[in-house]
Amino acid sequence: MPNLNVFADEHILSPAEQTWKHYSSQQIAMAALWALGLLFFLLVFAPFIAPHEPDLRQAHLLLQPPSWDDKGTVDYFLGTDDLGRDVLSRLLYGLQLTFGNALLISFIALIIGTTIGITAAISHGLLSSTLHHIMDTALSIPSLLLAIIFISVLGPGLDHSLLAILLASIPQFIRGVYLSVYQELQKEYIIALKLDGANNYRIIRYGVFPNIIETLVNLLTRAISSAIIDISALGFLGLGAQRPLSEWGTMLSGATDLVFIAPWTVVLPGLAILVTIFIVNIVGESLRQSIIAGID
Amino acid sequence: MPEKIIDIATTTRVQPLLRVEKLGKTYINPTGFFKRQEVIAVNDISFSLNRAETLAIIGETGSGKSTLARLLAGVITPTTGNIYVDGCKLDASNTDLRCRSIRMVFQDPETSLNPRTSVGQILDAPLQLNTDMSVAKRAEKIAETLRLVGLLPEYATFYPPMLSSGQKQRIALARALILNPKIIIADDTLSTLDISLRSQMINLMLELQKTIGISYIVVTHNMGLVKHISDKMIVMHQGECIEQGCTEQLFSHPTAALCGQILSNQYNMKKQRG
Ligand SMILES: Nc1ncnc2c1ncn2[C@@H]1O[C@H](COP(=O)(O)OP(=O)(O)OP(=O)(O)O)[C@@H](O)[C@H]1O
Ligand SMILES: [Mg+2]
């Protein structure tokens, strides 16, 4: 018998493998992924890497410039602030407060929002139409404003601001997930799956889920970057993290008087916020593009 | 007791494979807060179908052909009427019987196959859900079904975007065939294919009918195809069945005036075009 197995040496890539192949062929995306990996490393090991305590005040080392300045020292690599605290250590701890909390909030919002969104899309009835009206109202208010309203009720503080941002970001997930699951459920391959005798769980898990990952990645990217902005904005306004916490927005607000004497105390936390959002967005957007590229 | 005698007579008579009684579907569209509009898409249709027969459903656009096909496949639930397979009534309580006996091939293979699941997974789902075969048995069955529709078993590892539309159509047919159904419903399945692929598919379907004895219900606008493959036909107009019967007889002697018009219109249109 002739060997009909012509495909034997050709490995068929699964969508996940195809996504990775597309992603890893983009240099900027890969650089951003490494940078994100570094951020995660710093996030977890910040207490071990930070050279000083974030709150350690040294009266003899006020406003020490960064190490590349003539008057700077390597011991205080990014200089010190007006209370003699090491800026590098504060930024590293701030990574946990700003980026870490933004990640935490976004993942919790993802889980809650996805659950509600999927439930609503399946039970298209009273639940979904009620939800629709509530969501429309909630989404017409910017999330930062919504967070400020929550805080005016709860009172300022890091915990309250996190709770407020969480509550403000859940509607985005519900809305996004609801819409894409609802659209997905109209597709013929879902009807075909139903005719195979699949129950709701199976339809969602095997029919819908693989096709909404792209939406989830997109929503998560946006949620993380807007959470970073909201946390630091509330910190800057004095409604979120309070001094002496080294949350990046709080660090900025404490340093605004020093713009001309010690610009590094303002520029560095600002840069940290900017770079983190930049990295998150590049990774998220490239990942989304690669997932889409996987199907054609 | 005359009724009882009739009852015994009907049950002892050979059952048709599929019997449809007074099937109807009314869509209710909310047009305002309290106003709603009723669309009678299918009204009071009855017919029966035997093993290895082909039934063609024809009619103008919007006459309710797809709705009827979807009712039979169980995509939508009828507002009135009943469907019996081998004398067994189909309803919500025995969906597995319906899954195993009536399967549907959708119009467009581009949208009826999930782009992110492999062909193997697509074909595995009905087996997993309706049989208790082992993993190895299922893989064997998938390979066998792929061969049946003229594809190599290696296609099980492919994903739909990698296939041509003719191959996708074959996969869709394989998904319908894999549970050894008695009836396959094809809603306009063939009209999206080009002529050579279409004739390939038709030959494949006719061959399967000869070897396995499957019955088909075919919705189509193509009168040549109706003449070629069908034994019986139903002519629909605005949700009603205006005529049904043997294909040859209807083509030569349509009784309803409207029916004759539809048949000759569509047949001539096809002749003019191709
Ligand atoms: N989901 C729905 N809701 C409300 N009305 C519907 C729905 N689906 C179909 N209809 C209506 O039912 C009627 C029959 O539609 P159907 O799709 O069965 O026609 P068809 O004969 O298949 O037409 P075509 O030849 O164009 O495919 C149409 O008037 C249509 O508007
Ligand atoms: Mg139709």
Side-chain angles (χ1 to χ4, degrees):
Chain A
M1 194 183 148
N3 183 13
L4 285 175
N5 202 354
V6 287
F7 304 111
D9 51 358
E10 190 186 323
H11 175 61
I12 301 298
L13 296 177
S14 72
E17 290 167 327
Q18 235 164 23
T19 302
W20 174 243
K21 193 179 151 204
H22 186 266
Y23 189 95
S24 55
S25 68
Q26 295 168 288
Q27 281 169 4
I28 294 177
M30 281 309 280
L33 188 64
W34 280 107
L36 188 66
L38 183 68
L39 277 186
F40 277 120
F41 178 80
L42 294 178
L43 184 67
V44 177
F45 296 104
F48 306 103
I49 299 168
H52 303 274
E53 283 299 310
D55 294 332
L56 181 67
R57 298 177 185 190
Q58 284 156 305
H60 59 289
L61 285 170
L62 302 185
L63 297 177
Q64 185 94 24
S67 54
W68 53 83
D69 194 275
D70 292 341
K71 280 173 262 161
T73 60
V74 183
D75 284 347
Y76 297 90
F77 191 75
L78 297 178
T80 59
D81 64 6
D82 53 343
L83 295 175
R85 296 173 296 194
D86 180 35
V87 173
L88 175 62
S89 308
R90 286 178 69 72
L91 282 177
L92 281 172
Y93 278 92
L95 186 67
Q96 291 185 328
L97 290 171
T98 308
F99 183 52
N101 281 326
L103 283 179
L104 188 70
I105 286 177
S106 305
F107 275 100
I108 296 175
L110 173 78
I111 291 168
I112 298 177
T114 309
T115 315
I116 299 178
I118 288 178
T119 318
I122 294 176
S123 67
H124 35 241
L126 192 64
L127 177 61
S128 65
S129 73
T130 317
L131 209 66
H132 227 93
H133 292 295
I134 299 175
M135 289 300 110
D136 280 349
T137 319
L139 284 172
S140 60
I141 310 169
S143 68
L144 187 59
L145 195 60
L146 209 59
I148 290 175
I149 296 172
F150 281 123
I151 286 169
S152 65
V153 177
L154 298 169
L158 181 61
D159 302 349
H160 290 172
S161 75
L162 292 183
L163 185 64
I165 296 167
L166 174 66
L167 290 177
S169 66
I170 288 175
Q172 324 265 351
F173 277 100
I174 299 181
R175 169 67 162 260
V177 171
Y178 171 80
L179 281 181
S180 62
V181 171
Y182 186 78
Q183 276 168 11
E184 209 50 40
L185 284 175
Q186 314 294 318
K187 300 266 173 75
E188 254 177 5
Y189 50 76
I190 300 295
I191 299 174
L193 206 53
K194 260 184 218 162
L195 292 182
D196 289 345
N199 55 12
N200 276 342
Y201 167 74
R202 207 185 153 94
I203 288 172
I204 294 296
R205 170 71 186 79
Y206 295 98
V208 173
F209 188 70
N211 293 294
I212 62 162
I213 294 177
E214 169 221 324
T215 311
L216 294 183
V217 167
N218 189 19
L219 287 171
L220 192 62
T221 310
R222 281 204 259 162
I224 294 174
S225 40
S226 83
I228 294 174
I229 292 174
D230 290 355
I231 291 174
S232 44
L234 290 176
F236 184 79
L237 295 173
L239 301 171
Q242 304 291 313
R243 284 173 217 166
L245 279 179
S246 64
E247 194 278 311
W248 291 343
T250 316
M251 282 174 75
L252 264 179
S253 80
T256 39
D257 303 340
L258 308 170
V259 179
F260 296 111
I261 331 166
W264 63 91
T265 54
V266 179
V267 172
L268 290 174
L271 214 58
I273 296 172
L274 196 73
V275 169
T276 312
I277 291 176
F278 199 57
I279 291 172
V280 168
N281 271 294
I282 292 182
V283 172
E285 184 55 24
S286 315
L287 187 58
R288 195 175 74 86
Q289 302 273 344
S290 302
I291 293 173
I292 296 171
I295 54 168
D296 34 52
Chain B
M1 293 239 163
E3 289 121 19
K4 199 149 198 181
I5 296 164
I6 293 168
D7 215 40
I8 291 166
T10 45
T11 45
T12 48
R13 212 179 55 204
V14 181
Q15 290 277 1
L17 175 61
L18 175 75
R19 189 155 53 89
V20 173
E21 273 180 3
K22 297 201 184 308
L23 205 61
K25 175 73 186 178
T26 307
Y27 287 111
I28 297 170
N29 294 337
T31 49
F33 264 113
F34 297 106
K35 276 182 281 180
R36 41 186 54 186
Q37 184 196 11
E38 294 196 351
V39 181
I40 302 171
V42 169
N43 191 17
D44 201 20
I45 293 212
S46 308
F47 65 89
S48 64
L49 183 70
N50 292 320
R51 191 166 293 276
E53 268 185 348
T54 301
L55 170 77
I57 303 175
I58 60 167
E60 309 157 352
T61 295
S63 56
K65 305 183 299 292
S66 298
T67 310
L68 179 58
R70 287 161 163 259
L71 282 172
L72 295 172
V75 181
I76 47 180
T77 47
T79 25
T80 59
N82 292 311
I83 304 169
Y84 301 86
V85 170
D86 280 333
C88 193
K89 187 175 156 187
L90 294 182
D91 51 29
S93 65
N94 52 12
T95 43
D96 53 327
L97 174 67
R98 189 198 291 264
C99 289
R100 273 185 280 111
S101 45
I102 306 180
R103 302 279 290 165
M104 182 157 175
V105 183
F106 288 88
Q107 177 166 7
D108 189 359
E110 308 292 332
T111 58
S112 70
L113 302 177
N114 192 339
R116 298 201 194 265
T117 44
S118 72
V119 168
Q121 287 168 310
I122 290 173
L123 297 180
D124 202 24
L127 290 179
Q128 251 182 44
L129 291 163
N130 293 289
T131 64
D132 24 64
M133 291 189 201
S134 66
V135 179
K137 272 259 183 59
R138 293 205 302 264
E140 203 176 295
K141 178 77 185 167
I142 290 170
E144 184 192 314
T145 314
L146 282 173
R147 267 195 222 104
L148 196 64
V149 295
L151 294 174
L152 288 172
E154 281 76 16
Y155 276 93
T157 55
F158 279 48
Y159 286 80
M162 305 171 187
L163 303 173
S164 74
S165 70
Q167 288 168 329
K168 279 182 205 165
Q169 195 65 276
R170 280 158 191 261
I171 301 293
L173 184 62
R175 172 169 61 192
L177 282 171
I178 201 158
L179 289 175
N180 301 327
K182 294 166 182 150
I183 301 162
I184 288 184
I185 300 174
D187 180 5
D188 251 347
T189 305
L190 303 160
S191 55
T192 48
L193 296 178
D194 64 59
I195 289 177
S196 70
L197 274 177
R198 194 191 299 168
S199 48
Q200 272 184 34
M201 277 294 285
I202 291 167
N203 289 341
L204 178 61
M205 285 169 71
L206 290 179
E207 201 177 297
L208 290 171
Q209 185 162 50
K210 238 187 273 166
T211 50
I212 327 181
I214 302 177
S215 305
Y216 293 110
I217 296 176
V218 182
V219 175
T220 182
H221 289 278
N222 187 334
M223 291 303 130
L225 183 66
V226 172
K227 253 189 167 169
H228 180 50
I229 65 170
S230 70
D231 305 299
K232 287 178 177 177
M233 59 191 270
I234 290 182
V235 184
M236 292 187 67
H237 179 71
Q238 296 185 348
E240 311 256 355
C241 163
I242 52 170
E243 193 144 30
Q244 62 170 301
C246 181
T247 305
E248 275 172 41
Q249 198 185 344
L250 274 190
F251 264 98
S252 46
H253 307 288
T255 40
L258 193 59
C259 169
Q261 228 173 30
I262 290 171
L263 289 180
S264 57
N265 266 352
Q266 297 200 352
Y267 197 48
N268 291 342
M269 246 160 56
K270 201 209 140 223
K271 268 188 183 158
Q272 275 165 16
R273 256 191 277 136

